[in-house]
Amino acid sequence: MTVVTLAARTGRSVRLDAGGAVTIVNLFGQQVVDTWAIDVADPSIVLSMAHTRMANGRLAVGAGDTLVGSDREPMLVVESDTTGGRHDTLIPACDAARYRQLGASGHHASCAANFTETVRALALPLPSQVPQPLNLFMNVPVGPDGTLGIEPPVSRPGDRVTLRAVRPLVLVLSACPQDLAPTNGSHHEPRDVELHLLPALDEALP
Ligand SMILES: [Zn+2]
């Protein structure tokens, strides 16, 4: 197992072969991790929250659920999840416009910019707009009347999610830099996250 740090406010990529997996470890408990996947064979195919909600018949995702691409085919499986499935599939990545709306002046790091910079560094084609990410650990309660909230995550230090790739793909992950809303906790302080890279199951056998 290889352990790498996803530093607070930054993005990075992880290349997964079919059968490979990554465990995203929420070291401090309340850090949201925006997560995208891009098909290596056809980079025009990306992880799609709309198609994933349709495939699973639910708003949220949790252990045992399949995450599907814009081609409606499986990209990843949520192999394990200690949060009980408290993740968001509805909210777009934070971006410069969102921070302007929140009153920021000048540059502010964002998940959208982290995605764009990471994809550009890989020399992969950039989608015309940033795909809607799977927002791991993000707490977006949905009221009976359909209202949405953005509340501090309920995940605890050490909570973790393992995503196993169904096909070769690039994961792009962003430790959300949001510090003007309680997205990453009421302390408004983005934190580091740990990534555990796991080999394919057959490679892990003795
Ligand atoms: Zn963000």
Side-chain angles (χ1 to χ4, degrees):
M1 182 181 78
T2 303
V3 177
V4 296
T5 298
L6 173 61
R9 304 175 191 269
T10 72
R12 68 175 299 152
S13 62
V14 171
R15 173 75 160 83
L16 294 178
D17 292 324
V22 60
T23 299
I24 299 102
V25 182
N26 208 329
L27 296 174
F28 294 89
Q30 293 190 306
Q31 178 61 47
V32 168
V33 181
D34 287 34
T35 304
W36 296 265
I38 302 169
D39 187 300
V40 167
D42 180 355
S44 71
I45 299 171
V46 296
L47 178 63
S48 167
M49 288 301 94
H51 296 94
T52 294
R53 291 192 298 269
M54 173 74 182
N56 293 313
R58 295 197 295 121
L59 286 178
V61 298
D65 282 339
T66 299
L67 309 180
V68 307
S70 45
D71 60 353
R72 295 185 186 263
E73 296 293 333
M75 294 189 87
L76 295 143
V77 171
V78 183
E79 186 168 278
S80 61
D81 174 12
T82 65
T83 74
R86 296 300 288 264
H87 312 287
D88 168 66
T89 69
L90 295 172
I91 303 296
C94 63
D95 55 16
R98 178 65 180 140
Y99 288 107
R100 279 198 301 275
Q101 289 176 347
L102 289 169
S105 58
H107 175 76
H108 193 293
S110 72
C111 288
N114 287 342
F115 172 84
T116 299
E117 289 163 14
T118 302
V119 171
R120 190 173 283 138
L122 294 167
L124 288 169
L126 272 175
S128 58
Q129 57 181 324
V130 174
Q132 191 195 328
L134 168 61
N135 298 309
L136 293 173
F137 309 108
M138 188 172 183
N139 183 18
V140 180
V142 182
D145 61 351
T147 54
L148 299 175
I150 296 180
E151 297 185 359
V154 295
S155 40
R156 311 289 302 172
D159 268 343
R160 60 197 62 204
V161 179
T162 298
L163 304 177
R164 192 166 295 277
V166 176
R167 48 177 137 166
L169 50 80
V170 172
L171 273 190
V172 179
L173 304 119
S174 170
C176 181
Q178 180 59 267
D179 54 7
L180 302 175
T183 308
N184 296 307
S186 52
H187 46 71
H188 290 200
E189 188 176 342
R191 309 275 202 171
D192 291 354
V193 173
E194 208 166 75
L195 305 177
H196 297 176
L197 308 182
L198 311 170
L201 287 174
D202 53 352
E203 296 170 24
L205 294 173

